Every structure is written in C-alpha cells, then in structure tokens.
Coordinates of all heavy atoms in Angstrom, one line a residue:
M8 N 90.4 67.9 84.1 CA 89.4 68.8 83.5 C 89.5 70.2 84.2 O 89.7 70.3 85.4 CB 88.0 68.3 83.7 CG 86.9 69.2 83.3 SD 85.4 68.3 83.0 CE 84.3 69.7 82.7
T9 N 89.4 71.2 83.4 CA 89.5 72.6 83.9 C 88.2 73.3 83.8 O 87.3 73.0 83.0 CB 90.6 73.4 83.2 OG1 90.2 73.4 81.8 CG2 91.9 72.7 83.4
D10 N 88.0 74.4 84.6 CA 86.9 75.2 84.6 C 87.3 76.7 84.5 O 88.4 77.0 85.1 CB 86.1 75.1 85.9 CG 85.2 73.9 85.9 OD1 84.7 73.5 84.8 OD2 85.0 73.3 87.0
W11 N 86.5 77.5 83.9 CA 86.7 79.0 84.0 C 85.9 79.5 85.1 O 84.7 79.2 85.1 CB 86.3 79.6 82.7 CG 87.3 79.3 81.5 CD1 87.2 78.3 80.6 CD2 88.5 80.0 81.3 NE1 88.3 78.4 79.8 CE2 89.1 79.4 80.1 CE3 89.2 81.1 81.8 CZ2 90.3 79.9 79.6 CZ3 90.4 81.6 81.3 CH2 90.9 80.9 80.2
I12 N 86.5 80.2 86.0 CA 85.7 80.8 87.1 C 85.8 82.4 87.0 O 86.8 82.9 86.7 CB 86.1 80.4 88.5 CG1 87.6 80.7 88.7 CG2 85.9 78.9 88.7 CD1 88.0 80.6 90.2
K13 N 84.7 83.0 87.3 CA 84.6 84.5 87.3 C 85.2 85.0 88.6 O 84.8 84.5 89.6 CB 83.2 85.0 87.1 CG 83.1 86.5 87.0 CD 81.7 86.9 86.4 CE 80.7 86.9 87.5 NZ 79.4 87.5 87.1
V14 N 86.1 85.9 88.5 CA 86.8 86.4 89.7 C 86.3 87.8 90.1 O 86.0 88.0 91.2 CB 88.3 86.4 89.5 CG1 89.0 87.0 90.7 CG2 88.8 85.0 89.1
C15 N 86.3 88.7 89.2 CA 86.0 90.1 89.5 C 85.7 90.9 88.2 O 86.0 90.4 87.1 CB 87.0 90.8 90.3 SG 88.6 91.1 89.5
N16 N 85.2 92.1 88.4 CA 84.9 93.0 87.3 C 86.3 93.5 86.8 O 87.1 93.9 87.7 CB 84.0 94.1 87.7 CG 83.5 94.9 86.6 OD1 84.3 95.7 86.0 ND2 82.3 94.9 86.2
S17 N 86.5 93.6 85.5 CA 87.8 94.1 85.0 C 88.1 95.6 85.4 O 89.2 96.0 85.5 CB 87.9 93.9 83.5 OG 86.9 94.6 82.9
D18 N 87.0 96.3 85.7 CA 87.2 97.7 86.1 C 87.8 97.8 87.5 O 88.2 98.9 87.9 CB 85.8 98.5 86.1 CG 85.3 98.6 84.6 OD1 86.1 98.5 83.7 OD2 84.1 98.7 84.5
S19 N 87.7 96.8 88.3 CA 88.2 96.8 89.6 C 89.7 96.5 89.7 O 90.2 96.3 90.8 CB 87.4 95.9 90.6 OG 87.5 94.6 90.1
L20 N 90.4 96.3 88.6 CA 91.8 95.9 88.6 C 92.6 96.8 87.6 O 92.8 96.5 86.5 CB 92.0 94.5 88.2 CG 93.4 93.9 88.4 CD1 93.7 93.8 89.9 CD2 93.4 92.5 87.8
D21 N 92.9 98.0 88.1 CA 93.7 98.9 87.3 C 95.1 98.5 87.1 O 95.6 97.7 87.9 CB 93.6 100.3 87.9 CG 92.2 101.0 87.7 OD1 91.5 100.6 86.8 OD2 91.9 101.8 88.6
Q22 N 95.8 99.1 86.1 CA 97.2 98.8 85.9 C 98.0 99.0 87.2 O 97.8 100.0 87.9 CB 97.7 99.7 84.8 CG 99.1 99.4 84.4 CD 99.5 100.0 83.0 OE1 98.7 100.0 82.1 NE2 100.7 100.4 82.9
G23 N 98.8 98.0 87.5 CA 99.7 98.1 88.6 C 99.0 97.6 89.9 O 99.6 97.6 91.0
E24 N 97.8 97.1 89.8 CA 97.0 96.7 91.0 C 97.0 95.2 91.1 O 97.2 94.4 90.1 CB 95.6 97.2 91.0 CG 95.6 98.7 91.2 CD 94.1 99.2 91.4 OE1 93.2 98.5 91.0 OE2 94.0 100.3 91.9
M25 N 96.7 94.7 92.3 CA 96.5 93.3 92.6 C 95.1 93.0 93.2 O 94.6 93.9 93.8 CB 97.6 92.8 93.5 CG 99.0 92.9 93.1 SD 100.2 92.2 94.2 CE 101.0 93.6 94.9
F26 N 94.7 91.8 93.0 CA 93.4 91.4 93.5 C 93.5 90.0 94.1 O 94.0 89.1 93.4 CB 92.3 91.4 92.4 CG 90.9 91.1 92.9 CD1 90.1 92.1 93.3 CD2 90.4 89.8 93.0 CE1 88.8 91.8 93.8 CE2 89.2 89.5 93.4 CZ 88.3 90.5 93.8
T27 N 93.2 89.8 95.4 CA 93.4 88.5 96.0 C 92.1 87.8 96.1 O 91.0 88.4 96.3 CB 94.0 88.6 97.4 OG1 93.0 89.3 98.2 CG2 95.3 89.3 97.4
F28 N 92.1 86.4 96.0 CA 90.9 85.6 96.1 C 91.3 84.2 96.4 O 92.5 83.8 96.2 CB 90.0 85.7 94.9 CG 90.6 85.1 93.6 CD1 90.2 83.9 93.2 CD2 91.6 85.8 92.9 CE1 90.8 83.4 92.0 CE2 92.2 85.3 91.8 CZ 91.8 84.1 91.3
D29 N 90.4 83.4 97.0 CA 90.7 82.0 97.3 C 89.7 81.2 96.4 O 88.5 81.6 96.2 CB 90.4 81.7 98.7 CG 91.4 82.5 99.6 OD1 92.5 82.9 99.1 OD2 91.2 82.5 100.8
H30 N 90.2 80.0 96.0 CA 89.3 79.1 95.3 C 89.7 77.6 95.7 O 90.9 77.3 95.4 CB 89.4 79.3 93.8 CG 88.6 78.4 93.0 ND1 87.2 78.4 93.0 CD2 88.9 77.3 92.2 CE1 86.7 77.5 92.2 NE2 87.7 76.8 91.7
N31 N 88.8 76.9 96.2 CA 89.1 75.5 96.6 C 90.4 75.4 97.4 O 91.3 74.6 97.0 CB 89.2 74.6 95.3 CG 87.8 74.3 94.7 OD1 86.8 74.6 95.3 ND2 87.8 73.8 93.5
E32 N 90.5 76.2 98.4 CA 91.7 76.2 99.3 C 92.9 76.7 98.7 O 94.0 76.6 99.3 CB 91.9 74.8 99.9 CG 90.7 74.3 100.7 CD 90.9 73.0 101.4 OE1 92.0 72.6 101.5 OE2 89.8 72.4 101.8
K33 N 92.9 77.1 97.4 CA 94.1 77.8 96.8 C 94.0 79.3 97.1 O 92.9 79.9 96.9 CB 94.1 77.5 95.3 CG 94.4 76.1 94.9 CD 94.4 76.1 93.3 CE 94.7 74.7 92.9 NZ 95.4 74.6 91.7
K34 N 95.1 79.8 97.4 CA 95.3 81.3 97.6 C 95.8 81.8 96.3 O 96.9 81.5 95.9 CB 96.2 81.6 98.8 CG 95.6 81.1 100.1 CD 96.5 81.5 101.2 CE 96.0 81.0 102.6 NZ 94.5 81.2 102.8
L35 N 95.0 82.6 95.6 CA 95.3 83.1 94.3 C 95.5 84.6 94.2 O 95.0 85.3 95.1 CB 94.3 82.6 93.3 CG 94.1 81.1 93.3 CD1 92.8 80.7 92.5 CD2 95.3 80.4 92.7
L36 N 96.1 85.0 93.1 CA 96.3 86.5 92.9 C 96.2 86.8 91.5 O 96.7 86.2 90.6 CB 97.8 86.7 93.4 CG 98.3 88.2 93.4 CD1 97.6 89.0 94.4 CD2 99.8 88.2 93.6
L37 N 95.4 87.9 91.3 CA 95.3 88.5 89.9 C 96.2 89.7 90.0 O 96.2 90.5 91.0 CB 93.9 89.0 89.6 CG 92.9 88.0 89.2 CD1 91.6 88.7 88.8 CD2 93.3 87.2 88.0
T38 N 97.0 90.0 88.9 CA 97.7 91.2 88.8 C 97.5 91.8 87.4 O 97.2 91.1 86.4 CB 99.3 90.9 88.9 OG1 99.6 89.9 88.0 CG2 99.6 90.4 90.3
N39 N 97.5 93.1 87.4 CA 97.4 93.9 86.2 C 98.8 94.5 86.0 O 99.1 95.5 86.6 CB 96.3 94.9 86.2 CG 96.2 95.7 84.9 OD1 97.2 95.8 84.1 ND2 95.0 96.3 84.7
M40 N 99.6 93.9 85.1 CA 100.9 94.4 84.9 C 101.0 94.9 83.4 O 100.8 94.2 82.5 CB 101.9 93.3 85.1 CG 103.3 93.7 85.3 SD 104.4 92.4 85.7 CE 104.7 91.7 84.2
N41 N 101.3 96.2 83.3 CA 101.4 96.8 82.0 C 100.1 96.6 81.2 O 100.1 96.5 80.0 CB 102.6 96.3 81.2 CG 103.9 96.4 82.0 OD1 104.0 97.4 82.7 ND2 104.7 95.5 81.9
G42 N 98.9 96.6 81.9 CA 97.7 96.5 81.2 C 97.3 95.1 80.8 O 96.2 94.8 80.3
K43 N 98.1 94.1 81.2 CA 97.8 92.7 80.9 C 97.4 92.0 82.2 O 98.1 92.2 83.2 CB 98.9 92.0 80.2 CG 98.6 90.6 79.7 CD 99.7 90.0 78.8 CE 99.3 88.6 78.5 NZ 100.5 87.8 78.0
I44 N 96.4 91.1 82.2 CA 96.0 90.4 83.4 C 96.7 89.1 83.6 O 96.7 88.3 82.6 CB 94.4 90.2 83.4 CG1 93.7 91.5 83.1 CG2 94.0 89.6 84.7 CD1 93.9 92.6 84.2
F45 N 97.2 88.8 84.7 CA 97.9 87.5 85.0 C 97.2 86.9 86.3 O 96.8 87.7 87.2 CB 99.4 87.7 85.3 CG 100.1 88.3 84.1 CD1 100.3 89.6 84.0 CD2 100.6 87.5 83.2 CE1 101.0 90.2 82.9 CE2 101.3 88.0 82.1 CZ 101.5 89.3 82.0
A46 N 97.2 85.6 86.4 CA 96.8 84.9 87.5 C 97.8 83.9 88.0 O 98.4 83.2 87.2 CB 95.4 84.2 87.3
T47 N 98.1 84.0 89.3 CA 99.2 83.1 89.8 C 98.7 82.6 91.2 O 97.8 83.2 91.8 CB 100.5 83.8 90.0 OG1 100.4 84.8 90.9 CG2 101.0 84.3 88.6
D48 N 99.5 81.6 91.7 CA 99.3 81.4 93.2 C 99.8 82.6 93.9 O 100.6 83.4 93.4 CB 100.2 80.2 93.6 CG 99.5 78.9 93.2 OD1 98.3 78.9 93.0 OD2 100.2 77.8 93.2
R49 N 99.3 82.8 95.1 CA 99.6 84.0 95.9 C 100.7 83.8 96.9 O 101.3 84.7 97.5 CB 98.4 84.4 96.6 CG 98.5 85.7 97.3 CD 97.1 86.3 97.7 NE 96.5 85.8 98.9 CZ 95.4 85.2 99.0 NH1 94.6 85.0 98.0 NH2 94.9 84.8 100.2
I50 N 101.1 82.5 97.2 CA 102.1 82.2 98.2 C 103.4 81.9 97.6 O 103.5 81.0 96.7 CB 101.6 81.0 99.1 CG1 100.2 81.3 99.7 CG2 102.6 80.6 100.1 CD1 100.1 82.5 100.5
C51 N 104.4 82.6 98.1 CA 105.8 82.4 97.5 C 106.2 81.0 97.6 O 106.0 80.3 98.7 CB 106.7 83.4 98.2 SG 108.4 83.3 97.6
T52 N 106.9 80.5 96.6 CA 107.4 79.1 96.6 C 108.7 78.9 97.5 O 109.1 77.8 97.7 CB 107.8 78.7 95.1 OG1 108.8 79.6 94.6 CG2 106.6 78.7 94.3
H53 N 109.2 80.0 98.0 CA 110.4 79.9 98.8 C 110.1 79.6 100.3 O 110.4 78.6 100.8 CB 111.3 81.1 98.7 CG 112.5 81.1 99.6 ND1 112.7 82.1 100.5 CD2 113.5 80.2 99.7 CE1 113.8 81.8 101.2 NE2 114.3 80.6 100.7
A54 N 109.4 80.6 100.9 CA 109.1 80.4 102.3 C 107.7 80.9 102.7 O 107.5 81.4 103.8 CB 110.2 81.1 103.2
E55 N 106.8 80.8 101.7 CA 105.4 81.0 101.9 C 105.0 82.4 102.3 O 104.0 82.6 103.0 CB 104.9 80.0 102.9 CG 105.1 78.6 102.5 CD 104.4 77.5 103.3 OE1 103.8 77.9 104.3 OE2 104.5 76.3 103.0
A56 N 105.7 83.4 101.9 CA 105.2 84.8 102.1 C 104.0 85.0 101.2 O 103.9 84.4 100.1 CB 106.3 85.8 101.7
D57 N 103.2 85.9 101.7 CA 102.0 86.3 100.9 C 102.4 87.4 99.8 O 102.8 88.5 100.2 CB 100.9 86.9 101.8 CG 99.6 87.1 101.0 OD1 99.6 87.4 99.8 OD2 98.5 87.0 101.7
L58 N 102.4 87.0 98.6 CA 102.9 87.9 97.5 C 102.0 89.1 97.3 O 102.5 90.1 96.7 CB 103.1 87.1 96.2 CG 104.2 86.1 96.3 CD1 104.2 85.2 95.1 CD2 105.6 86.7 96.4
S59 N 100.8 89.1 97.8 CA 100.0 90.3 97.7 C 100.5 91.4 98.5 O 100.1 92.6 98.4 CB 98.5 90.0 98.1 OG 98.4 89.7 99.4
N60 N 101.5 91.1 99.4 CA 102.2 92.2 100.2 C 103.5 92.6 99.5 O 104.2 93.4 100.0 CB 102.5 91.7 101.6 CG 101.3 91.4 102.4 OD1 100.3 92.2 102.3 ND2 101.3 90.4 103.2
G61 N 103.7 92.1 98.3 CA 104.9 92.4 97.6 C 104.7 93.7 96.7 O 103.7 94.4 96.8
I62 N 105.7 93.9 95.8 CA 105.7 95.1 95.0 C 105.6 94.6 93.5 O 106.4 93.9 93.1 CB 107.0 95.9 95.2 CG1 107.1 96.3 96.7 CG2 107.0 97.1 94.3 CD1 108.4 96.8 97.1
L63 N 104.6 95.2 92.9 CA 104.4 94.9 91.4 C 105.0 96.0 90.6 O 104.6 97.1 90.8 CB 102.9 94.7 91.2 CG 102.5 94.3 89.8 CD1 103.0 92.9 89.5 CD2 101.0 94.3 89.6
T64 N 105.9 95.6 89.7 CA 106.5 96.6 88.8 C 106.4 96.0 87.4 O 105.9 94.9 87.2 CB 108.0 96.8 89.1 OG1 108.7 95.7 88.8 CG2 108.2 97.2 90.6
E65 N 106.9 96.8 86.4 CA 106.8 96.3 85.0 C 107.7 95.1 84.8 O 107.7 94.4 83.8 CB 107.2 97.4 84.1 CG 108.6 97.9 84.3 CD 108.8 99.2 83.4 OE1 107.8 99.8 83.0 OE2 110.0 99.5 83.1
N66 N 108.6 94.8 85.8 CA 109.5 93.6 85.7 C 109.0 92.4 86.3 O 109.6 91.3 86.1 CB 110.9 94.0 86.3 CG 111.6 95.1 85.6 OD1 111.5 95.2 84.3 ND2 112.1 96.0 86.3
G67 N 108.0 92.5 87.1 CA 107.4 91.3 87.8 C 107.0 91.7 89.2 O 106.8 92.8 89.6
L68 N 106.8 90.6 90.0 CA 106.3 90.8 91.4 C 107.4 90.4 92.3 O 107.9 89.3 92.3 CB 105.0 89.9 91.6 CG 104.4 89.9 92.9 CD1 104.0 91.3 93.4 CD2 103.2 88.9 93.0
T69 N 107.7 91.3 93.2 CA 108.8 91.1 94.2 C 108.2 90.6 95.5 O 107.3 91.2 96.1 CB 109.6 92.4 94.4 OG1 110.1 92.9 93.2 CG2 110.7 92.2 95.4
C70 N 108.8 89.5 95.9 CA 108.3 88.9 97.2 C 108.7 89.9 98.4 O 109.8 90.4 98.4 CB 109.0 87.6 97.4 SG 108.6 86.8 99.0
P71 N 107.8 90.1 99.3 CA 108.1 91.0 100.4 C 109.1 90.5 101.4 O 109.7 91.3 102.2 CB 106.7 91.2 101.0 CG 106.0 89.9 100.8 CD 106.4 89.5 99.4
L72 N 109.3 89.2 101.4 CA 110.2 88.6 102.5 C 111.7 88.6 102.1 O 112.5 89.1 102.8 CB 109.7 87.2 102.8 CG 110.1 86.7 104.2 CD1 109.9 87.7 105.3 CD2 109.4 85.4 104.5
H73 N 112.0 88.0 101.0 CA 113.4 87.8 100.6 C 113.7 88.4 99.2 O 114.8 88.1 98.6 CB 113.8 86.4 100.7 CG 113.6 85.7 102.0 ND1 112.7 84.7 102.2 CD2 114.1 86.0 103.2 CE1 112.7 84.3 103.4 NE2 113.5 85.1 104.1
L74 N 112.7 89.0 98.6 CA 112.9 89.9 97.4 C 113.2 89.1 96.1 O 113.7 89.7 95.2 CB 114.0 90.9 97.7 CG 113.8 91.8 98.9 CD1 115.0 92.8 99.1 CD2 112.5 92.5 98.9
S75 N 112.9 87.8 96.0 CA 112.9 87.2 94.7 C 111.8 87.9 93.9 O 110.7 88.3 94.4 CB 112.5 85.7 94.8 OG 113.7 85.0 95.3
V76 N 112.1 88.1 92.6 CA 111.2 88.7 91.6 C 110.6 87.6 90.7 O 111.4 86.8 90.1 CB 111.8 89.8 90.8 CG1 110.8 90.4 89.8 CG2 112.5 90.8 91.7
F77 N 109.3 87.5 90.7 CA 108.6 86.5 89.9 C 108.1 87.1 88.6 O 107.5 88.1 88.6 CB 107.5 85.8 90.6 CG 107.9 84.9 91.8 CD1 108.1 85.5 93.0 CD2 108.3 83.6 91.6 CE1 108.5 84.7 94.1 CE2 108.7 82.8 92.6 CZ 108.8 83.4 93.9
N78 N 108.4 86.4 87.4 CA 107.8 86.7 86.2 C 106.4 86.3 86.2 O 106.0 85.2 86.5 CB 108.6 85.9 85.1 CG 108.1 86.2 83.7 OD1 106.9 86.4 83.4 ND2 109.0 86.2 82.7
M79 N 105.5 87.2 85.9 CA 104.0 86.9 85.9 C 103.6 86.0 84.8 O 102.6 85.3 84.9 CB 103.2 88.2 85.9 CG 103.4 89.1 87.2 SD 102.6 88.3 88.7 CE 103.9 87.3 89.3
D80 N 104.3 86.1 83.7 CA 103.9 85.3 82.5 C 104.0 83.8 82.8 O 103.1 83.0 82.5 CB 104.9 85.6 81.3 CG 104.1 86.1 80.1 OD1 102.9 85.9 80.1 OD2 104.7 86.7 79.3
D81 N 105.2 83.3 83.3 CA 105.4 81.9 83.5 C 105.6 81.6 84.9 O 105.9 80.4 85.3 CB 106.5 81.4 82.6 CG 107.9 82.1 82.9 OD1 107.9 82.9 83.9 OD2 108.8 81.8 82.2
G82 N 105.6 82.5 85.8 CA 105.8 82.3 87.3 C 107.2 82.1 87.7 O 107.5 81.8 88.9
A83 N 108.2 82.1 86.8 CA 109.6 81.8 87.1 C 110.2 82.9 88.0 O 110.1 84.1 87.7 CB 110.4 81.7 85.8
P84 N 111.0 82.4 89.0 CA 111.7 83.4 89.8 C 112.9 83.9 88.9 O 113.6 83.1 88.2 CB 112.2 82.6 91.0 CG 112.2 81.2 90.5 CD 111.2 81.1 89.4
Q85 N 113.2 85.2 89.1 CA 114.3 85.8 88.3 C 115.6 85.9 89.1 O 116.6 86.2 88.5 CB 113.9 87.2 87.9 CG 112.6 87.3 87.1 CD 112.6 86.5 85.8 OE1 113.4 86.7 85.0 NE2 111.8 85.4 85.8
N86 N 115.5 85.6 90.4 CA 116.7 85.7 91.2 C 116.4 84.9 92.5 O 115.3 84.7 92.9 CB 117.0 87.2 91.6 CG 115.8 87.9 92.3 OD1 114.7 87.9 91.8 ND2 116.1 88.3 93.5
P87 N 117.5 84.5 93.2 CA 117.4 83.7 94.4 C 116.8 84.6 95.5 O 116.9 85.8 95.4 CB 118.8 83.2 94.7 CG 119.7 84.0 93.8 CD 118.9 84.6 92.8
P88 N 116.3 84.0 96.6 CA 116.5 82.6 97.0 C 115.4 81.7 96.4 O 115.6 80.5 96.4 CB 116.4 82.6 98.5 CG 115.5 83.8 98.8 CD 115.8 84.8 97.7
A89 N 114.3 82.2 95.8 CA 113.3 81.3 95.3 C 113.9 80.6 94.1 O 114.6 81.1 93.3 CB 112.0 82.1 94.9
E90 N 113.5 79.3 94.0 CA 114.0 78.5 92.9 C 112.9 77.9 92.0 O 113.1 77.6 90.8 CB 114.9 77.3 93.4 CG 116.1 77.7 94.1 CD 116.9 76.5 94.7 OE1 116.4 75.4 94.7 OE2 118.1 76.8 95.0
N91 N 111.7 77.7 92.6 CA 110.6 77.1 91.9 C 109.6 78.2 91.5 O 109.4 79.1 92.2 CB 109.9 76.1 92.9 CG 110.8 75.0 93.3 OD1 111.6 74.4 92.4 ND2 110.9 74.7 94.6
P92 N 109.0 77.9 90.3 CA 108.1 78.9 89.7 C 106.7 78.8 90.5 O 106.4 77.8 91.1 CB 107.9 78.4 88.3 CG 108.2 77.0 88.3 CD 109.2 76.8 89.4
L93 N 106.0 80.0 90.4 CA 104.7 80.0 90.9 C 103.8 79.3 89.8 O 104.0 79.4 88.6 CB 104.2 81.5 90.9 CG 104.8 82.4 92.0 CD1 104.3 83.8 91.7 CD2 104.4 81.9 93.4
Q94 N 102.7 78.7 90.3 CA 101.7 78.1 89.4 C 101.0 79.3 88.7 O 100.7 80.3 89.4 CB 100.7 77.3 90.2 CG 99.5 76.8 89.4 CD 99.9 75.7 88.5 OE1 100.5 74.7 88.9 NE2 99.5 75.8 87.2
T95 N 100.9 79.3 87.4 CA 100.2 80.3 86.7 C 98.9 79.7 86.1 O 98.7 78.5 86.0 CB 101.0 80.9 85.6 OG1 101.3 79.8 84.6 CG2 102.3 81.5 86.1
Y96 N 97.9 80.6 85.8 CA 96.6 80.2 85.3 C 96.3 81.1 84.1 O 96.6 82.3 84.1 CB 95.5 80.4 86.4 CG 95.9 79.6 87.7 CD1 96.7 80.2 88.7 CD2 95.5 78.3 87.8 CE1 97.0 79.5 89.8 CE2 95.8 77.6 89.0 CZ 96.6 78.2 90.0 OH 96.9 77.5 91.1
R97 N 95.6 80.5 83.2 CA 95.2 81.3 82.0 C 94.0 82.3 82.4 O 93.2 81.9 83.3 CB 94.7 80.4 80.9 CG 95.8 79.6 80.3 CD 95.5 79.1 78.9 NE 94.2 78.5 78.8 CZ 93.6 78.3 77.6 NH1 94.0 78.8 76.5 NH2 92.4 77.7 77.6
T98 N 94.0 83.4 81.8 CA 93.0 84.4 82.1 C 92.2 84.8 80.8 O 92.8 84.7 79.7 CB 93.5 85.7 82.8 OG1 94.4 86.3 81.9 CG2 94.3 85.3 84.1
K99 N 91.0 85.3 81.0 CA 90.3 85.9 79.9 C 89.4 87.0 80.4 O 89.0 86.9 81.6 CB 89.6 84.9 79.0 CG 88.4 84.2 79.7 CD 87.7 83.2 78.8 CE 86.6 82.5 79.5 NZ 85.9 81.5 78.7
I100 N 89.0 87.9 79.6 CA 88.0 88.9 79.9 C 86.8 88.8 79.0 O 87.0 88.8 77.8 CB 88.6 90.3 79.9 CG1 89.8 90.5 80.8 CG2 87.5 91.4 80.2 CD1 90.4 91.8 80.8
E101 N 85.6 88.7 79.6 CA 84.4 88.6 78.8 C 83.4 89.5 79.5 O 83.2 89.4 80.8 CB 83.8 87.2 78.8 CG 84.6 86.3 77.8 CD 84.0 84.9 77.7 OE1 82.9 84.6 78.3 OE2 84.6 84.0 77.0
D102 N 82.7 90.3 78.8 CA 81.7 91.2 79.3 C 82.2 92.0 80.6 O 81.5 92.0 81.6 CB 80.4 90.4 79.7 CG 79.8 89.8 78.4 OD1 79.9 90.4 77.4 OD2 79.3 88.7 78.6
N103 N 83.4 92.5 80.5 CA 84.0 93.2 81.6 C 84.2 92.4 82.9 O 84.4 93.0 83.9 CB 83.1 94.4 82.0 CG 83.4 95.6 81.1 OD1 84.3 95.5 80.2 ND2 82.8 96.7 81.4
N104 N 84.2 91.1 82.7 CA 84.6 90.2 83.9 C 85.8 89.5 83.6 O 86.1 89.0 82.5 CB 83.4 89.2 84.2 CG 82.2 89.9 84.7 OD1 82.2 90.7 85.7 ND2 81.1 89.7 84.0
I105 N 86.7 89.3 84.6 CA 87.9 88.5 84.5 C 87.6 87.1 85.0 O 87.1 86.9 86.0 CB 89.0 89.2 85.4 CG1 89.3 90.6 84.9 CG2 90.3 88.3 85.3 CD1 90.3 91.3 85.8
F106 N 88.0 86.2 84.1 CA 87.9 84.7 84.4 C 89.3 84.1 84.5 O 90.2 84.6 83.8 CB 87.1 84.0 83.3 CG 85.7 84.4 83.2 CD1 85.3 85.6 82.6 CD2 84.7 83.6 83.7 CE1 84.0 85.9 82.5 CE2 83.3 83.9 83.6 CZ 83.0 85.1 83.0
I107 N 89.5 83.1 85.3 CA 90.7 82.3 85.3 C 90.3 80.9 85.1 O 89.2 80.4 85.5 CB 91.6 82.5 86.5 CG1 91.1 81.7 87.7 CG2 91.8 84.0 86.8 CD1 92.2 81.6 88.7
E108 N 91.3 80.1 84.5 CA 91.1 78.7 84.2 C 91.7 77.9 85.3 O 92.9 78.1 85.6 CB 91.7 78.3 82.9 CG 91.3 76.9 82.5 CD 91.9 76.6 81.1 OE1 93.1 77.0 80.8 OE2 91.3 75.9 80.3
V109 N 90.9 77.2 86.1 CA 91.5 76.4 87.2 C 91.3 74.9 87.0 O 90.4 74.5 86.2 CB 90.9 76.8 88.5 CG1 91.3 78.2 88.9 CG2 89.4 76.7 88.5
Ligands
FES421 S1 109.5 83.9 101.0 FE1 109.6 84.8 98.9 S2 111.7 84.9 98.4 FE2 111.6 84.0 100.4

C-alpha cells in the first residue's frame, strides 16, 4: 500500500534546484529538471555518495563521486560505474504543494 506525503511548497523548488528530505529512514531527493518535478532516492547505487552534492543538468543528475549520470525519469544510470537504477517515486502538485507517493 502506498501513501502520498507532502514534501514542500512548489515555490521552494525552482528549475535546476534540488530539495532533500528523509522519510521512514529513506534519504530522498526532489529535483526540478526542465520544470518537471522528480523524486528519487538520494544515495547513489554505486558507492553511496549523496547525490544532492551532484550536478543537475537537463541530461540528468551527475554523481559527485564517480560521475555516473542518472536519468531522473526512470532512475537509470547512463554511464558506468553505476549499474543499478535509483528508486524513483511518483510526484504530484496540489495547491502549490509537492507530494510524492511512497
Ligand atoms: S558513488 Fe556514484 S558513481 Fe560511484
């Protein structure tokens, strides 16, 4: 069973920005890429770098440690060394609030 949880006001996440939060011991990350909101796990699947220290571009999120780039849509790594995708979560905006489904 899943729940929608309110994370933050949509005005606090401009294009190209990230927002970190924790929920039930999960370290999560919201990103605004090209005006679309994505939610993923925040810890890299390769060697556990914190992706909120990475670089967000229109192509994805680059890990700060070994530079794998993750697609925000499906969490898939676009290049080595990461091989496994990030967990992704559905998002929605209601009344200027961003929710994710966990
Ligand atoms: S820790 Fe992210 S690519 Fe190695």
